[in-house]
């Protein structure tokens, strides 16, 4: 007997005492919890996102289409990187004023090569106000998962209010499980040493989130 | 389960040693109280917490009730998404599968993200025996591994180490494993974290094989979810060419939508955050992004035996948040090591004796490592009635009776007169006779409804005191114990 058959057989025998439960999944799970917490206007939801991002030590900026290139230039200049990683279809105008040399992540690039790049600029798939979370789904304006992991500085642009939802349930509804997803809430952190929070262990130690409103 | 803890002294002896260690006690107290208070605030932010908790319980119960169907669905979905599914009936089989998969890649090193399941099966030791080095990459796990130590907390495995000890371990051991610690390393947490970042980065960048567990597996989509803080999980899940995930069969949830419950309850219950820094979700393999080869190892290792137990099966709802540890007065005093398994605290006291059986002294004594105060049940985000299971397992230890072991029905002999019984008795005394351990938990009176005479441990004699309990439902267990056993034989 294969282990597959053995385990499935054990499961069935283990449940032999349980009365037949023909209730479909829909009836077995009462979803009496809220779709979102509290009532907010669209603007208030964006404010809450900004507040919660900052609460988890992301650096938040607000700007519009016109000012964005200058803001990105300034944020990069403050760190002074020589290279900046960009995903395949980041809107080119975002980087139009930036000084560092743009590097594209190619499939053949090795992690060691990417390790020489200090900053990365991406878009995002959705942002969750209640938790202060941005979610990346590997779309062409976000790139492979590794590009937002190896550099020490991540600038993520969120289109507000379009890409902002209130809650976790709303975010999951918008996301496609077939894509590789990364949920990011603040820079990486550890509390493993006497529960003192230290920001930045392996992921980018600086996370800057730019809330971009339509002009 | 693994041999890692074979030869562990029974709970009371191990606990007594722990209580004598003042560093450990101070660290534990500071840690558990800090997380406990923060958790209460994070939970209070959601006014639908009770409904989320109930939904979490129902989702898990429904999944367990139809686990055979959902297991097959997981297999189909993961396979369709480009992954390969393996089934492991026990620890040895799982270790063998993983070792073989690593050997097939030709590699002799793997990077690992913290996973209870791989600790449970003793994977690192099994790989070592076949010449494969497994590097733990979670900061706390790194501290534990470098210190040749055992984890003592689900979430903060090095909770028993303070910064000075960690610096000493880094200084003396890092060089043995790879990049040494900087010469002038101090004991500030930021510097220690930086040392770990540099030490591990070289391993991540060259790693060809990653090994993980998973917090959830979604049956309808085949998606795996790993919830973490440090980014070492993302490194292990995305940089290597081959990813092997070892996942207990109880980690399944039926639908994508179910994550909306657990992604709200897990971070708040475990790290007391609205959301943990990083959560990774992947479905099979993705072209040109992340590992090209993905293996999922579905692990039984005592879970189906646990499922066969009417009362005990609710332990399989556990999402390993560790909230129950942080509120447990016995854990606070005894520390994680006293539980003799990778699952410490209240959840360990009900899970280990079910996964491993109650044959050994340590496992027979675990159901007694509790004052039944009920705080664990109150904080549990999937509403596992830990005191109910503890009482049930005590009955099992004392009276024996039918159970399932390794998939076979067996009749357990009562532990009467055996070493196991003595160990159990001492554990009970240990827990009940130290007011300090119990001061925080006085909600027992409301919980004695669970102690209906039908479920009481054992016929008269040694257990007569315990059997009288339901007659005095309004009296806290501790008072009752003090009154009936006052001053007798308790370890101080
Ligand atoms: S038993 Fe409940 S509280 Fe304890 S770790 Fe499991 S889910 Fe968390």
């Amino acid at each position: 007997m294969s282990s597959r058959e053995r385990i499935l057989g054990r499961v069935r025998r283990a449940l032999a005492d349980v009365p037949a439960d023909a209730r479909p999944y829909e009836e077995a799970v009462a979803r009496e919890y809220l779709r979102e917490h509290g009532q907010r206007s669209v603007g208030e939801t964006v404010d809450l996102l900004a507040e919660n991002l900052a609460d988890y030590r992301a650096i938040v900026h607000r700007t519009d289409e016109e000012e964005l290139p200058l803001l990105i230039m300034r944020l990069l200049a403050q760190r002074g990187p020589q290279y900046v990683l960009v995903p395949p279809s980041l809107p080119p105008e975002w980087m139009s004023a930036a000084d560092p040399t743009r590097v594209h992540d190619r499939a053949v690039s090795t992690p060691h090569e990417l390790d020489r790049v200090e900053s990365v600029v991406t878009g995002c798939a959705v942002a969750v106000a209640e938790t202060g979370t941005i979610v990346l789904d590997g779309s062409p304006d976000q790139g492979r998962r590794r590009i937002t992991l190896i550099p020490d500085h991540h600038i993520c642009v969120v289109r507000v209010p379009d890409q902002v939802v209130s809650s976790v349930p709303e975010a999951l509804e918008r996301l496609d499980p077939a894509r590789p997803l990364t949920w990011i809430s603040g820079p990486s952190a550890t509390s493993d040493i006497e529960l003192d929070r230290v920001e930045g262990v392996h992921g980018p130690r600086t996370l800057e989130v730019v809330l971009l409103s339509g002009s | 389960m693994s041999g890692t803890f074979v030869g562990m002294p029974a709970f009371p002896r191990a606990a007594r040693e722990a209580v004598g260690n003042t560093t450990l006690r101070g660290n534990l107290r500071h840690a558990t109280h800090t997380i406990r208070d923060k958790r209460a605030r994070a939970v209070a932010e959601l006014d639908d917490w009770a409904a989320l908790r109930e939904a979490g319980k129902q989702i898990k119960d429904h999944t367990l009730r139809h686990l055979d169907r959902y297991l097959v669905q997981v297999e189909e979905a993961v396979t369709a998404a480009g992954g390969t599914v393996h089934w492991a009936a026990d620890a040895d089989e799982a270790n063998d599968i993983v070792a073989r998969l690593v050997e097939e890649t030709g590699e002799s090193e793997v990077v690992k993200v913290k996973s209870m399941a791989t600790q449970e099966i003793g994977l690192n030791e099994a790989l070592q025996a076949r010449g494969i080095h497994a590097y733990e990459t979670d900061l706390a796990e790194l501290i534990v591994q470098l210190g040749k130590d055992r984890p003592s907390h689900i979430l903060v495995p090095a909770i028993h180490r303070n910064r000075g000890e960690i610096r000493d371990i880094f200084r003396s051991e890092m060089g043995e494993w790879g990049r040494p610690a900087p010469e002038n390393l101090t004991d500030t947490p930021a510097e220690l974290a930086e040392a770990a970042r540099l030490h591990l980065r070289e391993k991540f960048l060259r790693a060809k094989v990653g090994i993980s567990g998973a917090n959830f597996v979604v049956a309808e989509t085949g998606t795996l979810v790993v919830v973490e803080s440090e980014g070492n999980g993302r490194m292990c899940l995305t940089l290597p060419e081959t990813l092997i995930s070892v996942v207990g069969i109880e980690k399944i949830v039926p639908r994508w939508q179910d994550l909306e419950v657990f992604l709200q309850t897990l971070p708040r219950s475990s790290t007391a955050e609205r959301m943990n820094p990083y959560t990774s979700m992947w479905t099979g393999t993705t072209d040109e992004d992340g590992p090209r080869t993905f293996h999922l190892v579905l692990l039984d290792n005592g879970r189906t035996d646990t499922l066969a137990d009417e009362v005990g099966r609710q332990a399989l709802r556990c999402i390993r948040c560790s909230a129950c540890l942080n509120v447990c007065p016995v854990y606070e005093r005894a520390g994680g090591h006293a539980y003799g398994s990778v699952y410490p605290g209240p959840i360990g006291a009900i899970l280990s004796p079910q996964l491993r059986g109650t044959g050994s002294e340590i496992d027979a004594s675990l159901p007694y490592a509790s004052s039944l105060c009920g705080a664990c049940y109150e904080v549990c985000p999937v509403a596992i009635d830990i005191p109910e299971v503890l009482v049930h397992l005590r009955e099992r230890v004392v009276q024996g009776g039918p159970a399932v072991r390794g998939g076979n029905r067996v009749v357990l002999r009562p532990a009467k007169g055996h070493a196991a019984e003595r160990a159990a008795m001492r554990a009970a005394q240990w827990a009940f006779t130290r007011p300090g351990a119990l001061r925080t938990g006085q909600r027992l009176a409301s919980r004695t409804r669970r102690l209906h005479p039908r479920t009481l441990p054992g016929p008269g004699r040694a257990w007569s005191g315990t059997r009288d309990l339901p007659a005095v439902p309004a009296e806290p267990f501790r008072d009752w114990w003090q009154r009936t056993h006052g001053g007798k034989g308790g370890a101080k």
Side-chain angles (χ1 to χ4, degrees), chain A residues 3-8 10-35 37-38 51-52 55-56 107 111-112 115 130-133 136 138 143-146 148-152 167-173 175-198 200-205, chain B residues 30-31 34-35 46-48 51-52 55 58-59 62 64-68 70-72 75 87-89 93 137-140 155-156 162-163 166 189-190 192-194 196-197 200-201 204-206 221 223 229-232 234-235 237-239 249 254-261 263-264 273-283 286 288-291 300 304 307-308 310 313 406-407 409:
Chain A
S3 290
R4 180 183 189 276
E5 298 317 310
R6 185 171 299 132
I7 293 171
L8 289 172
R10 285 177 181 179
V11 169
R12 288 175 191 132
R13 281 198 304 280
L15 294 167
D17 69 296
V18 188
D21 175 10
R23 272 185 316 165
Y25 167 91
E26 287 75 10
E27 286 168 34
V29 181
R31 296 189 190 278
E32 279 159 13
Y33 50 88
L34 304 168
R35 294 303 296 166
H37 297 88
E51 200 180 298
N52 283 335
D55 195 30
Y56 282 162
H112 279 104
D115 196 31
E130 285 183 10
T131 56
T133 305
L136 308 181
R144 292 185 187 87
R145 285 171 282 177
R146 63 185 187 179
T148 53
L149 178 60
I150 300 178
D152 204 12
S167 66
V168 171
E170 291 171 352
L172 283 160
E173 229 168 60
L175 292 164
D176 175 2
R179 308 190 71 95
L181 302 173
T182 307
W183 297 52
I184 300 173
S185 308
S188 77
T190 182
S191 301
D192 279 349
I193 302 164
E194 296 182 15
L195 293 182
D196 264 10
R197 188 177 163 101
V198 178
V201 193
H202 303 296
R205 283 180 284 193
Chain B
H30 169 64
T34 309
I35 313 181
L46 300 185
D47 38 20
D48 59 343
L52 284 165
Q58 290 174 351
I59 291 166
H62 168 84
L64 292 168
R65 175 64 191 85
H66 302 283
L67 190 57
D68 50 343
Y70 286 121
L71 277 165
V72 172
E75 181 183 48
W87 301 70
E93 190 176 8
T137 63
D138 188 78
L139 178 51
L155 188 73
V156 204
N162 62 28
R163 58 183 76 189
I166 295 169
L192 294 170
E194 169 77 15
R197 176 183 170 100
L200 288 171
R201 182 151 288 229
F204 290 135
L205 296 181
R206 68 162 190 243
T221 59
T223 308
S229 294
E230 295 173 11
N232 60 312
R234 292 180 66 194
M235 293 276 182
L237 298 171
T238 51
L239 297 187
I249 55 174
R255 301 200 184 173
W256 177 247
Q257 194 192 356
D258 295 327
L259 295 176
E260 72 189 22
V261 174
L263 288 182
Q264 294 191 77
E273 292 167 305
R274 289 182 202 106
M275 191 61 90
N276 49 288
Y278 294 138
T279 297
S280 297
M281 303 180 179
W282 73 98
T283 305
T286 306
E288 300 206 338
D289 186 352
D300 179 350
T304 50
L307 186 64
E310 251 175 87
R313 62 168 63 117
R409 293 202 176 278

Side-chain angles (χ1 to χ4, degrees), chain B residues 5 89 256 289 386 401 435 450:
Chain B
F5 297 95
W256 177 247
D289 186 352
I386 294 176
R450 295 287 172 195

Side-chain angles (χ1 to χ4, degrees), chain B residues 154 317-325 347 376 379-382 384 386:
Chain B
I154 293 179
R317 292 204 295 260
C318 176
I319 57 172
R320 313 275 189 266
C321 71
S322 72
C324 57
L325 276 63
I347 181 59
C376 48
V379 295
C380 178
V382 284
I384 298 171
I386 294 176

